[in-house]
Amino acid sequence: MNAPDKLQDLLSLTREPFPASRKVYAEGSEGVRVPMREIALTNGERVTVYDTSGPYTDPLATIDAKLGLPSVRTGWIEARGDTETYAGRNRVALDDGGKHEETARIEALRAQAAALQRTPRRAKAGGNVTQMHYARRGIVTPEMEYVAIRENGKREWMREYLGDAEREARLAGNAKGARIPEIYTPEFVRDEVARGRAIIPANINHPEVEPMAIGRNFGVKINANIGNSAVTSSIEEEVEKLVWAIRWGADNVMDLSTGRNIHTTRDWIVRNSPVPIGTVPIYQALEKVGGIAEDLTWAIYRDTLIEQAEQGVDYFTIHAGVRLPFIHLTANRRTGIVSRGGSILAKWCITHHKENFLYTHFEEICEIMKAYDVSFSLGDGLRPGSASDANDAAQFAELKTLGELTQVAWKHDVQTMIEGPGHVPMHLIQANMDEQIKHCHEAPFYTLGPLTIDIAPGYDHIASAIGAAMIGWMGTAMLCYVTPKEHLGLPDRDDVKQGIIAYKIAAHAADIAKGHPGARARDDAMSKARFEFRWHDQFNLGLDPDTARDYHDETLPKDSSKEAHFCSMCGPKFCSMKITQDVRDYAAAKGLSEEQALADVEQGMAAKSAEFKAQGGELYIPITPVQA
Amino acid sequence: MNAPDKLQDLLSLTREPFPASRKVYAEGSEGVRVPMREIALTNGERVTVYDTSGPYTDPLATIDAKLGLPSVRTGWIEARGDTETYAGRNRVALDDGGKHEETARIEALRAQAAALQRTPRRAKAGGNVTQMHYARRGIVTPEMEYVAIRENGKREWMREYLGDAEREARLAGNAKGARIPEIYTPEFVRDEVARGRAIIPANINHPEVEPMAIGRNFGVKINANIGNSAVTSSIEEEVEKLVWAIRWGADNVMDLSTGRNIHTTRDWIVRNSPVPIGTVPIYQALEKVGGIAEDLTWAIYRDTLIEQAEQGVDYFTIHAGVRLPFIHLTANRRTGIVSRGGSILAKWCITHHKENFLYTHFEEICEIMKAYDVSFSLGDGLRPGSASDANDAAQFAELKTLGELTQVAWKHDVQTMIEGPGHVPMHLIQANMDEQIKHCHEAPFYTLGPLTIDIAPGYDHIASAIGAAMIGWMGTAMLCYVTPKEHLGLPDRDDVKQGIIAYKIAAHAADIAKGHPGARARDDAMSKARFEFRWHDQFNLGLDPDTARDYHDETLPKDSSKEAHFCSMCGPKFCSMKITQDVRDYAAAKGLSEEQALADVEQGMAAKSAEFKAQGGELYIPITPVQA
């Protein structure tokens, strides 16, 4: 079959709504309509959760990858009246790399991709269309209102799960310096964006995006990397991988394609993505110079930035901190430079013995960013590639530079986040967060893991979820996922899912620890369903209902057992939950108050220790051995 | 085929040595011979790692499950001359539970099991044969020497991976109050056991055990739970699961069987286990009274303790802290009492309105424990079953009681560890460790996870590995694994492996963070192999070589690519490791010293900031929005 049909076919696999779930919308002003997923429980409750899957899980939406997604933001962008459409740069064959394919299949996709493209839009001459620019002028954009509604979620249902004063005090989060509001207001979002403490990645040429925020005082977000490479995989697979990734909860997706047809692949991905798309433009620039790092020029790179800004990429990873004077600090490392972009620029710098051209042209880059509202993701090209290289001079020298560049970007009102490691043992993670906050002025931190150990190939999604959860709690705003294939190969569809679920766990654990007001209720709903043996609700409230149900069925396949008041682990006689009901009746019968209860405990203690003394119990434990 | 043959057949699957690995032994005195796994790298290096797999991975060992494993400790036990053999209690049909099977298959296994049994041994009248008793008398046992050698591992090869002063200082662990020695000496082990800060679970009726230590100042250990249940699984499967579990790194295994043939299953497991075996005796006692909690009596329970002590069980989980006055503190919990043992005892207490008989008979239990050197694992029957119930009054009231009971046990020189939760959000984990150390006098803490969130059914091994790694770093001595089937069903063979690998990751991450002297070198060896593209070495140094190799082959199946100086992620042109070599040559050519390097950095910074000022760069970021 021809390529687009193959894609349509692939997508149909990922469009099924989640079990017992439907798409609902929370309305705001100016046509702001925020999608959420509502899960209907068997006890009549309705639980609403954050939804990154876009129109794909809405059975009412007609989706045709050849037409792309409907626009969410065009009206808002036009209403601001500060942009203009224009012809855009001429598309050239080289955009798909020195080795672009000419096969019929690719030509078909290329033609389709060209048809997909919207007329490019940019700021009017001398204008600035970044969300930060509006925020600093006191303007609350529809994007900001959208984000506020989205972060709040539907709080109504959560009341059911509010505990008494004792529980609320006991479980109160530890925000570690973050200032998380009880309710997100559009004005709060504006203020965070104005301060640079949060970004809303939303290129004016990506109106299909459903606005979301990345910031320390918002829920922790996760990013999934996709992209074909010189070695393997196809355009259709990458687009389907995007839809698959957001189905499981990716808040952002980075297209890290490095191979052929790189421009065409990106057209397909951006036009079909409801989440912000990030790229590393140096990868495409390198394809254009046949993969020879030393042949890179500012002109080629600059043209690539405009090309991608016109396509609608929402943020660029730019390794402007890989400065000539830092490079040799990596010479004695266990694993040198492990960032692709970092190593390409290091190669360029030492070959020409010149300062990194991304650093020297940084202000010119800012001019491009603010004309399209592309956000910076300042790359950590010198991040450690092993625990052994964590927190070293090269890493922190670059981090300080990224802090300086953040201030340059902010001078232009360009939204900015900072990329972080990588490989960091648990006891060195806090220092990463502290240094980043100190030197980067609270600009959002966006880390890859970090992996806490090096000896788990095949399980690095777990080794890194540990570090990710911890640094997320400490204040990192977005966690870049790691799949089981890290260090070994390219992730397939299932690897992408495994990586995303591991990172949803890390991000949620961080939100709970920070005390994000919308986080805990879903866990409480799950625990209540557990206690009441509502098996279907347990499956449906989970991050992956299909897998939970399959696992349960392996032991107790019968449908009846999904109503059963016991589970496979203990069998009927041992059911502790069942016994707990007796405990409740007992406590109710005894009618004990909390005071009496504690009194009982004290009394019990007293009696006990008296008993010890009576027995002449020797409580002192000799430290120096008694010679026999 | 008949049952034992089926078992032989199953075991053959798990006996293959790890790739490029061989069993080596470090010799001590008095026939102490500590097994380790030596991995031969392609560059000629030999890396030796801690090995829990016992004789099963030694191709020279003949293993016949029908004969059990050879004894490691009989000579040492006899040499102490403080024990006697005796007939032991009479075996009765009820030992296999009220509903024991009479099938030919089970009868065969039962006959084999009876033949397997060693003549029971106990302390001579009035004697005490615990490792703690010896330790407190200044006696260094062969078990203690064994543990010291085992914890050290072969340090020779690690020298290769010692960093310079800068690296060692930068990576120095944060022990959080633990006192981890540079080298483990037998005297250090004795002192830790004497203080009660470590235990060596080693029943004198389990001479097959390879001694290991559980303590805050030793490497973090992990436990795997196996056991058949009323609902499913067979004896052979459970024995094979034991061998499978220790292959992947389980330091301890608990047999949580609750179903029929519970005694026979245990015979098979203990006689074939080189690692300490723990049980929860109340499960068997309940089987003996037909599953009716209120019918439990001290007499039946006491008889069960002796039965299991004679079989060689190394530690008993005893829920003596579930006291009558605490039970109603669970009445308002989200998930009540979720510990099976805890709920059984709560049921008994409230039915009879009497204090827990394990609490009232605790000193009698100590008398049994010290006659066989069975260690206490004081159960947390009131642990939280949801994040919502974490750190509540019931949990901490029980923990305080466990601290008192620890002092009673220590009065009898009985080795003791304390069980902990369960479900605890990240920000409440530290309090669990602090309270345990405070109230339990540094007795080893043994936690189940904890799970940091409740919404990940199917992935609770990950949700809990996060909490396990953190609490392991904080001072927990042993981590009880959680499998992907937690809350859903009984773990099969692959689930057991998934749970163990996740927990090896957590334990190793904790060892690295604590600064265990033997921990980091393996990671460095892996990172060096990565940097040098020694793919086979990367697979073989990992926790799961098979999976790592399979994942790599999915992308680059050819053998040649395992020598290739690039990997599938980036392809040849992008290889950052390759580029790093150029960086090294450059740095070498430039001959820069660390001082010059840092000077360069400062200079660069100065230049940069000067540049900003020259541009009149406005570095102040307005906080209050400027009205347009």
Side-chain angles (χ1 to χ4, degrees):
Chain A
M1 69 186 115
N2 78 50
D5 292 349
K6 175 183 168 194
L7 179 54
Q8 219 36 41
D9 215 57
L10 282 168
L11 290 183
S12 66
L13 302 174
T14 49
R15 288 213 48 195
E16 202 183 315
F18 279 86
S21 294
R22 69 188 186 101
K23 182 88 69 177
V24 295
Y25 295 87
E27 309 284 339
S29 59
E30 303 174 66
V32 168
R33 225 167 142 255
V34 183
M36 296 172 188
R37 176 159 69 96
E38 184 182 80
I39 307 167
L41 305 187
T42 57
N43 65 349
E45 287 176 28
R46 296 183 173 284
V47 166
T48 310
V49 299
Y50 197 101
D51 184 359
T52 58
S53 62
Y56 294 98
T57 50
D58 183 348
L60 305 176
T62 22
I63 299 218
D64 179 348
K66 298 189 292 300
L67 302 176
L69 295 180
S71 166
V72 173
R73 302 168 53 226
T74 303
W76 309 337
I77 294 164
E78 283 173 350
R80 290 193 275 260
D82 54 1
T83 58
E84 62 187 12
T85 55
Y86 68 113
R89 66 184 276 287
N90 286 328
R91 183 167 186 156
V92 295
L94 196 63
D95 295 348
D96 269 335
K99 291 208 222 58
H100 56 278
E101 284 179 73
E102 301 294 357
T103 65
R105 188 181 71 82
I106 294 298
E107 287 304 344
L109 283 166
R110 202 168 276 143
Q112 297 275 4
L116 258 176
Q117 279 319 298
R118 298 170 177 274
T119 312
R121 180 181 290 278
R122 68 182 167 204
K124 287 179 179 165
N128 186 330
V129 298
T130 70
Q131 292 290 317
M132 185 180 215
H133 189 69
Y134 302 133
R136 287 179 165 183
R137 269 152 190 66
I139 301 165
V140 174
T141 62
E143 287 87 347
M144 297 170 196
E145 182 187 6
Y146 193 106
V147 162
I149 294 170
R150 197 171 193 181
E151 285 286 327
N152 285 326
K154 288 200 170 178
R155 294 286 177 88
E156 309 85 277
W157 70 269
M158 299 184 189
R159 285 199 209 93
E160 150 79 22
Y161 292 97
L162 268 178
D164 53 25
E166 180 279 329
R167 171 171 291 157
E168 289 309 311
R170 176 163 47 82
L171 301 178
N174 173 354
K176 289 182 172 275
R179 271 150 294 183
I180 299 164
E182 193 43 51
I183 296 287
Y184 289 89
T185 63
E187 169 55 24
F188 176 85
V189 177
R190 185 204 59 72
D191 187 54
E192 290 290 303
V193 172
R195 289 166 187 259
R197 204 152 52 198
I199 69 171
I200 300 174
N203 182 328
I204 56 172
N205 288 315
H206 189 192
E208 302 89 348
V209 84
E210 294 175 347
M212 52 78 66
I214 301 167
R216 186 180 174 199
N217 295 329
F218 295 84
V220 175
K221 306 305 191 296
I222 71 165
N223 173 78
N225 293 331
I226 61 171
N228 59 6
S229 93
V231 182
T232 171
S233 86
S234 82
I235 292 177
E236 300 90 332
E237 284 163 8
E238 294 315 310
V239 175
E240 197 277 337
K241 218 180 267 177
L242 157 79
V243 179
W244 182 243
I246 61 178
R247 175 181 183 82
W248 295 110
D251 296 283
N252 278 201
V253 167
M254 287 193 79
D255 171 12
L256 301 186
S257 296
T258 58
R260 301 176 292 186
N261 317 315
I262 191 165
H263 179 108
T264 303
T265 303
R266 194 181 312 116
D267 277 338
W268 280 96
I269 289 174
V270 175
R271 293 282 76 79
N272 288 289
S273 175
V275 304
I277 297 295
T279 63
V280 186
I282 199 94
Y283 295 171
Q284 183 178 15
L286 192 70
E287 290 296 329
K288 293 179 179 180
V289 295
I292 313 301
E294 41 278 50
D295 293 354
L296 284 165
T297 66
W298 162 242
I300 288 166
Y301 186 83
R302 183 180 183 284
D303 180 61
T304 304
L305 291 185
I306 291 166
E307 171 188 353
Q308 297 197 12
E310 290 177 350
Q311 283 181 295
V313 173
D314 301 287
Y315 58 90
F316 292 152
T317 291
I318 295 187
H319 299 96
V322 180
R323 293 192 53 205
L324 183 63
F326 305 158
I327 292 171
H328 64 278
L329 294 177
T330 65
N332 298 326
R333 279 180 157 186
R334 173 81 61 200
T335 47
I337 299 175
V338 295
S339 150
R340 278 191 275 180
S343 56
I344 292 159
L345 288 155
K347 183 79 182 277
W348 188 93
C349 289
I350 60 179
T351 310
H352 301 289
H353 202 284
K354 277 202 188 132
E355 184 56 278
N356 179 341
F357 65 85
L358 301 179
Y359 182 80
T360 54
H361 291 275
F362 194 74
E363 301 238 9
E364 289 158 85
I365 296 173
C366 292
E367 295 298 339
I368 296 168
M369 308 297 261
K370 67 197 200 190
Y372 300 90
D373 196 8
V374 181
S375 300
F376 274 115
S377 185
L378 295 178
D380 56 336
L382 302 183
R383 68 172 174 267
S386 56
S388 186
D389 295 339
N391 296 19
D392 73 351
Q395 183 194 336
F396 285 146
E398 178 184 42
L399 183 64
K400 288 201 192 84
T401 303
L402 299 184
E404 294 171 20
L405 294 174
T406 299
Q407 291 186 305
V408 178
W410 285 354
K411 192 181 69 181
H412 294 270
D413 296 346
V414 176
Q415 304 192 89
T416 303
M417 62 182 165
I418 311 294
E419 296 184 8
H423 289 249
V424 184
M426 281 195 287
H427 64 301
L428 301 184
I429 291 176
Q430 185 69 60
N432 276 268
M433 195 69 233
D434 295 344
E435 290 293 299
Q436 193 271 345
I437 289 175
K438 180 171 149 209
H439 297 294
C440 300
H441 324 286
E442 293 196 290
F445 203 22
Y446 166 33
T447 62
L448 175 66
L451 282 79
T452 53
I453 64 171
D454 299 326
I455 61 169
Y459 301 84
D460 279 335
H461 61 308
I462 299 177
S464 65
I466 293 166
M470 291 173 72
I471 205 163
W473 174 24
M474 294 168 188
T476 290
M478 184 157 73
L479 306 169
C480 179
Y481 86 163
V482 169
T483 77
K485 289 275 174 67
E486 186 74 15
H487 296 116
L488 296 169
L490 282 170
D492 60 20
R493 205 164 175 277
D494 185 59
D495 298 318
V496 166
K497 178 180 173 182
Q498 293 302 317
I500 288 171
I501 300 285
Y503 274 67
K504 291 304 279 186
I505 290 169
H508 187 66
D511 284 342
I512 297 272
K514 285 167 69 173
H516 187 289
R520 221 183 66 219
R522 186 175 176 181
D523 297 71
D524 287 344
M526 172 70 80
S527 299
K528 190 176 171 208
R530 282 199 170 121
F531 188 67
E532 295 170 359
F533 293 96
R534 286 183 274 111
W535 287 102
H536 289 290
D537 293 344
Q538 290 177 54
F539 307 147
N540 297 341
L541 282 165
L543 294 172
D544 178 2
D546 313 347
T547 298
R549 178 176 288 93
D550 293 348
Y551 282 179
H552 183 270
D553 288 356
E554 279 179 33
T555 321
L556 292 174
K558 279 198 271 16
D559 253 1
S560 63
S561 60
K562 296 197 184 51
E563 315 304 328
H565 269 234
F566 65 87
C567 57
S568 54
M569 284 78 81
C570 315
K573 288 254 174 62
F574 274 92
C575 177
S576 58
M577 298 272 190
K578 195 160 147 299
I579 289 171
T580 300
Q581 195 47 56
D582 306 333
V583 173
R584 293 192 171 179
D585 304 344
Y586 158 76
K590 255 192 109 187
L592 280 163
S593 72
E594 194 65 20
E595 293 62 35
Q596 285 169 288
L598 295 167
D600 273 16
V601 177
E602 294 318 317
Q603 197 190 336
M605 298 294 184
K608 186 69 194 158
S609 52
E611 183 189 325
F612 288 159
K613 294 196 185 58
Q615 297 158 345
E618 187 219 306
L619 296 189
Y620 167 77
I621 309 302
I623 294 308
T624 51
V626 183
Q627 294 308 322
Chain B
M1 72 187 112
N2 79 51
D5 292 350
K6 176 183 168 192
L7 179 54
Q8 239 3 68
D9 216 56
L10 282 168
L11 290 183
S12 66
L13 301 174
T14 49
R15 288 214 47 196
E16 202 182 315
F18 279 86
S21 295
R22 66 188 188 103
K23 182 87 71 177
V24 295
Y25 295 87
E27 308 284 340
S29 60
E30 302 174 67
V32 168
R33 230 169 136 252
V34 183
M36 296 171 188
R37 177 160 67 97
E38 184 181 81
I39 307 166
L41 305 188
T42 57
N43 66 348
E45 288 176 26
R46 297 184 173 283
V47 166
T48 310
V49 299
Y50 197 101
D51 184 1
T52 58
S53 63
Y56 294 98
T57 50
D58 183 348
L60 304 177
T62 20
I63 298 214
D64 180 348
K66 298 189 293 297
L67 302 177
L69 295 180
S71 166
V72 173
R73 302 167 53 224
T74 304
W76 309 337
I77 294 164
E78 284 172 350
R80 291 194 276 260
D82 52 3
T83 57
E84 62 188 11
T85 56
Y86 68 112
R89 66 186 275 288
N90 286 328
R91 182 166 187 157
V92 294
L94 196 63
D95 296 348
D96 269 336
K99 291 207 225 56
H100 57 276
E101 286 179 73
E102 301 294 358
T103 64
R105 187 182 70 83
I106 295 297
E107 288 304 346
L109 283 166
R110 201 169 278 144
Q112 297 275 6
L116 258 175
Q117 279 318 299
R118 298 169 177 275
T119 313
R121 181 181 289 277
R122 68 183 167 204
K124 287 177 179 165
N128 185 330
V129 296
T130 70
Q131 291 291 318
M132 186 180 214
H133 189 69
Y134 302 132
R136 287 179 165 184
R137 271 152 188 66
I139 300 164
V140 174
T141 63
E143 287 87 347
M144 297 169 195
E145 182 187 6
Y146 193 108
V147 162
I149 294 170
R150 197 171 193 182
E151 285 287 327
N152 285 326
K154 289 201 170 179
R155 294 288 176 86
E156 308 82 279
W157 71 269
M158 299 184 188
R159 285 199 210 95
E160 150 80 21
Y161 292 97
L162 268 178
D164 52 27
E166 182 279 330
R167 172 171 290 156
E168 290 308 311
R170 176 163 47 83
L171 301 177
N174 173 354
K176 289 182 171 275
R179 272 150 293 183
I180 298 164
E182 193 43 50
I183 296 287
Y184 288 89
T185 63
E187 169 55 25
F188 177 86
V189 176
R190 185 204 59 73
D191 188 54
E192 289 291 303
V193 172
R195 289 166 186 259
R197 203 152 53 198
I199 69 171
I200 300 175
N203 183 328
I204 56 172
N205 288 314
H206 190 193
E208 302 89 348
V209 83
E210 295 175 347
M212 53 78 66
I214 300 167
R216 184 181 175 199
N217 295 329
F218 294 82
V220 175
K221 307 304 192 296
I222 72 164
N223 174 78
N225 294 331
I226 62 172
N228 58 7
S229 93
V231 181
T232 172
S233 87
S234 81
I235 292 176
E236 300 89 332
E237 284 163 6
E238 293 315 311
V239 175
E240 197 276 337
K241 218 180 267 178
L242 157 78
V243 179
W244 182 243
I246 61 178
R247 175 182 183 80
W248 295 110
D251 295 283
N252 277 202
V253 168
M254 287 193 79
D255 172 13
L256 301 186
S257 296
T258 58
R260 300 175 293 185
N261 316 316
I262 191 166
H263 179 107
T264 304
T265 303
R266 194 181 312 115
D267 276 339
W268 280 96
I269 288 173
V270 174
R271 293 281 77 79
N272 287 289
S273 176
V275 304
I277 297 295
T279 63
V280 185
I282 199 95
Y283 295 171
Q284 183 178 16
L286 193 72
E287 290 295 330
K288 292 179 179 179
V289 296
I292 313 300
E294 42 278 50
D295 293 355
L296 284 165
T297 65
W298 162 241
I300 288 166
Y301 186 84
R302 183 180 182 284
D303 180 60
T304 305
L305 291 185
I306 291 166
E307 171 187 353
Q308 296 196 12
E310 289 178 351
Q311 282 182 295
V313 173
D314 300 286
Y315 57 90
F316 292 151
T317 291
I318 294 187
H319 299 95
V322 180
R323 294 191 51 206
L324 183 66
F326 305 158
I327 291 171
H328 64 281
L329 293 176
T330 66
N332 298 325
R333 278 180 159 186
R334 173 81 61 198
T335 46
I337 298 175
V338 296
S339 149
R340 278 192 276 180
S343 57
I344 292 159
L345 287 155
K347 183 79 181 278
W348 188 93
C349 290
I350 61 180
T351 310
H352 301 289
H353 202 281
K354 278 203 186 132
E355 183 56 274
N356 179 342
F357 64 84
L358 301 180
Y359 182 79
T360 54
H361 291 276
F362 195 75
E363 300 237 11
E364 289 159 87
I365 297 173
C366 292
E367 296 297 339
I368 297 169
M369 308 298 261
K370 67 197 201 192
Y372 300 91
D373 197 9
V374 181
S375 299
F376 275 115
S377 185
L378 295 178
D380 56 336
L382 302 183
R383 68 172 173 268
S386 56
S388 186
D389 294 338
N391 296 19
D392 73 351
Q395 183 194 335
F396 285 146
E398 178 184 43
L399 182 64
K400 286 200 193 83
T401 304
L402 299 185
E404 294 172 21
L405 295 174
T406 298
Q407 291 185 305
V408 178
W410 284 355
K411 192 181 69 180
H412 294 271
D413 295 347
V414 175
Q415 305 192 90
T416 304
M417 62 181 166
I418 311 293
E419 295 184 11
H423 289 249
V424 184
M426 281 196 287
H427 64 301
L428 301 184
I429 291 176
Q430 184 70 59
N432 275 269
M433 194 71 234
D434 295 345
E435 290 293 300
Q436 193 272 344
I437 289 175
K438 179 173 151 206
H439 297 295
C440 301
H441 324 286
E442 292 196 291
F445 204 23
Y446 167 33
T447 62
L448 174 67
L451 282 78
T452 52
I453 63 171
D454 299 326
I455 62 169
Y459 301 84
D460 279 335
H461 61 308
I462 299 177
S464 65
I466 293 167
M470 290 174 72
I471 205 163
W473 174 24
M474 294 167 187
T476 291
M478 185 158 73
L479 306 169
C480 180
Y481 87 163
V482 170
T483 77
K485 289 275 174 67
E486 184 75 15
H487 297 115
L488 296 170
L490 282 170
D492 61 21
R493 206 164 176 276
D494 185 58
D495 298 319
V496 167
K497 178 179 173 182
Q498 293 302 317
I500 289 172
I501 299 285
Y503 274 66
K504 292 304 279 187
I505 289 169
H508 187 65
D511 284 341
I512 297 272
K514 285 167 68 174
H516 187 289
R520 221 184 67 221
R522 185 174 176 181
D523 298 70
D524 287 343
M526 172 70 81
S527 300
K528 190 176 171 209
R530 282 199 171 120
F531 188 67
E532 294 170 1
F533 293 96
R534 286 183 274 111
W535 288 102
H536 289 290
D537 293 344
Q538 290 177 54
F539 307 148
N540 298 340
L541 282 165
L543 294 172
D544 178 2
D546 313 346
T547 299
R549 178 178 288 93
D550 293 348
Y551 283 179
H552 183 269
D553 288 356
E554 279 179 32
T555 321
L556 291 175
K558 279 198 279 355
D559 254 0
S560 62
S561 60
K562 297 200 181 50
E563 315 305 327
H565 269 235
F566 66 87
C567 58
S568 54
M569 284 78 83
C570 314
K573 288 250 174 65
F574 274 92
C575 177
S576 57
M577 299 271 189
K578 196 160 148 297
I579 290 172
T580 300
Q581 195 46 56
D582 306 333
V583 172
R584 293 194 170 177
D585 304 342
Y586 158 76
K590 252 191 111 189
L592 281 164
S593 73
E594 195 65 20
E595 292 61 37
Q596 286 169 287
L598 295 167
D600 273 17
V601 177
E602 296 318 318
Q603 197 191 336
M605 298 292 185
K608 186 70 196 157
S609 52
E611 183 190 325
F612 288 159
K613 293 193 186 61
Q615 297 159 345
E618 189 218 304
L619 296 188
Y620 168 76
I621 309 302
I623 294 309
T624 50
V626 183
Q627 293 309 321

